[in-house]
Amino acid sequence: MAVCIAVIAKENYPLYIRSVPTENELKFHYTVHTSLDVVEEKISAVGKALVDQRELYLGLLYPTEDYKVYGYVTNSKVKFVIVVDSSNTSLRDNEIRSMFRKLHNSFTDVMCNPFYNPGDPIQSKAFDGMVSAMMVQAC
Amino acid sequence: MADDALFEFLHMEMVAHVYKQQASRAETEQERTTSVSILEGMGFRVGQGLIERITKDTPGFKDDLDIMKFICKDFWINLFRKQIDNLRTNHQGTYVLQDNRFSLLTQFSNGKQYMEEAPKYLAFSCGLVRGALCNLGLDSVVTAEVSTMPSCKFQVVIQKA
């Protein structure tokens, strides 16, 4: 269901990025890159105004003609971005949430792996497997 | 609880191992500081991973004080099954966390006998706190001091960028 999933470090460089139509990879890199500004905006807005509405899930960042981009930020300011196809209208907000949840769980597993150095690109097979499962699911 | 004891034993062995390894490398004068920094570094990495796991279900933090409160409550309970007994701050980036019965020191004699050994057993915990704060975006310097035995004070100084 997702066409592209990215994990971005707190200093805004990619830790992990994967997209399904591999021939168009660069376009997704671009889409994710542009989404970072929106993420930044949302984070700083939360800090100022509504104190109660602090949540890790940032919701829909922006829609383009073909895709919808969703964002999520952990307490350590690591960002997750999921790009889904706009044509897939059956996808609910709840499902996106649960995808982020799963992604976050796997990411914590990676972080707690003693062989992983925080800040390095993610090369874990378990994480990779989880992401691929999320991409093919209900395609 | 059994897992409590496991952590305590593991921690004791870790300290013993690091010091033994250092001692076998001979440079006597530098020995203490480097062993402490090795332990601190280990704590740092563990703290980074742990905080990622513990904050998974908590909503975002408002400010630095909010983060420190989290460290004192949830983080400490996860590690040592109790909260920090007293948190003080000057509101300028310095925090003092006081634990009246720090679990890694409870096995020691309450007198002054092992006072000199205490820093060995606090280095790892200092690293834990520093790693946790670092991952939440706060660079800090954490030091510990012991005045009477099972109680312990951690001083956290947040480095402003």
Side-chain angles (χ1 to χ4, degrees):
Chain A
M1 54 169 111
V3 288
C4 175
I5 291 177
V7 179
I8 294 127
K10 97 175 92 189
E11 295 89 356
N12 283 341
Y13 62 88
L15 290 176
Y16 183 92
I17 179 159
R18 185 132 162 248
S19 45
V20 150
T22 34
E23 72 275 11
N24 239 339
E25 213 177 345
L26 208 58
K27 190 176 81 186
F28 288 111
H29 282 232
Y30 176 68
T31 313
V32 172
H33 188 93
T34 22
S35 74
L36 287 179
D37 273 340
V38 191
V39 171
E40 212 65 49
E41 201 176 298
K42 292 218 178 203
I43 296 173
S44 55
V46 166
K48 279 173 209 145
L50 301 158
V51 185
D52 289 343
Q53 279 209 314
R54 286 176 289 146
E55 210 192 349
L56 302 179
Y57 177 58
L58 299 174
L60 180 65
L61 296 177
Y62 68 96
T64 65
E65 221 161 278
D66 311 313
Y67 303 106
K68 283 181 182 158
V69 186
Y70 293 87
Y72 183 99
V73 61
T74 70
N75 280 308
S76 49
K77 299 288 173 284
V78 172
K79 294 113 186 154
F80 301 140
V81 175
I82 294 183
V83 184
V84 296
D85 214 316
S86 285
S87 59
N88 193 343
T89 46
S90 61
L91 208 57
R92 298 240 184 83
D93 207 43
N94 263 343
E95 295 170 51
I96 301 283
R97 262 172 213 270
S98 76
M99 278 162 77
F100 276 122
R101 199 112 272 265
K102 262 196 237 161
L103 202 59
H104 195 172
N105 283 337
S106 293
F107 177 71
T108 35
D109 289 343
V110 172
M111 269 301 285
C112 291
N113 175 0
F115 296 107
Y116 172 73
N117 257 328
D120 285 359
I122 296 169
Q123 283 162 332
S124 150
K125 273 188 190 158
F127 189 83
D128 218 37
M130 190 275 317
V131 168
S132 341
M134 234 158 32
M135 285 178 150
V136 291
Q137 213 179 60
C139 247
Chain B
M1 285 285 274
D3 49 349
D4 251 1
L6 285 182
F7 172 58
E8 272 165 36
F9 281 131
L10 179 65
H11 182 258
M12 277 186 234
E13 276 310 310
M14 223 161 65
V15 173
H17 174 77
V18 167
Y19 272 82
K20 211 160 85 186
Q21 218 179 28
Q22 280 294 323
S24 66
R25 288 209 204 111
E27 288 92 0
T28 41
E29 197 46 57
Q30 281 286 301
E31 179 201 322
R32 172 147 298 175
T33 51
T34 50
S35 304
V36 164
S37 54
I38 289 172
L39 284 168
E40 212 261 2
M42 287 162 115
F44 182 81
R45 179 62 185 86
V46 175
Q48 271 188 316
L50 258 173
I51 199 74
E52 195 70 50
R53 177 145 289 174
I54 299 171
T55 58
K56 207 166 55 186
D57 300 311
T58 42
F61 295 108
K62 243 188 318 180
D63 48 19
D64 294 3
L65 187 62
D66 216 23
I67 293 178
M68 287 312 294
K69 281 184 189 160
F70 183 86
I71 297 280
C72 292
K73 290 187 186 146
D74 301 61
F75 188 67
W76 219 256
I77 289 172
N78 263 287
L79 285 165
F80 305 116
R81 285 175 195 282
K82 72 185 285 289
Q83 292 186 15
I84 281 282
D85 295 295
N86 191 349
L87 167 67
R88 270 177 292 166
T89 172
N90 65 354
H91 295 288
Q92 279 163 10
T94 305
Y95 300 83
V96 177
L97 290 69
Q98 185 174 348
D99 192 331
N100 293 333
R101 240 186 97 73
F102 187 57
S103 66
L104 295 177
L105 294 178
T106 47
Q107 313 299 327
F108 285 49
S109 146
N110 278 357
K112 299 248 178 229
Q113 191 181 1
Y114 294 111
M115 216 53 139
E116 275 177 23
E117 312 288 326
K120 287 185 190 179
Y121 292 87
L122 296 171
F124 185 75
S125 314
C126 286
L128 282 174
V129 176
R130 196 168 68 86
L133 288 174
C134 169
N135 211 5
L136 294 177
L138 298 177
D139 282 326
S140 58
V141 174
V142 182
T143 48
E145 69 176 275
V146 185
S147 42
T148 46
M149 215 19 158
S151 87
C152 173
K153 272 185 198 159
F154 292 92
Q155 191 182 39
V156 179
V157 182
I158 310 281
Q159 308 296 102
K160 287 279 178 287

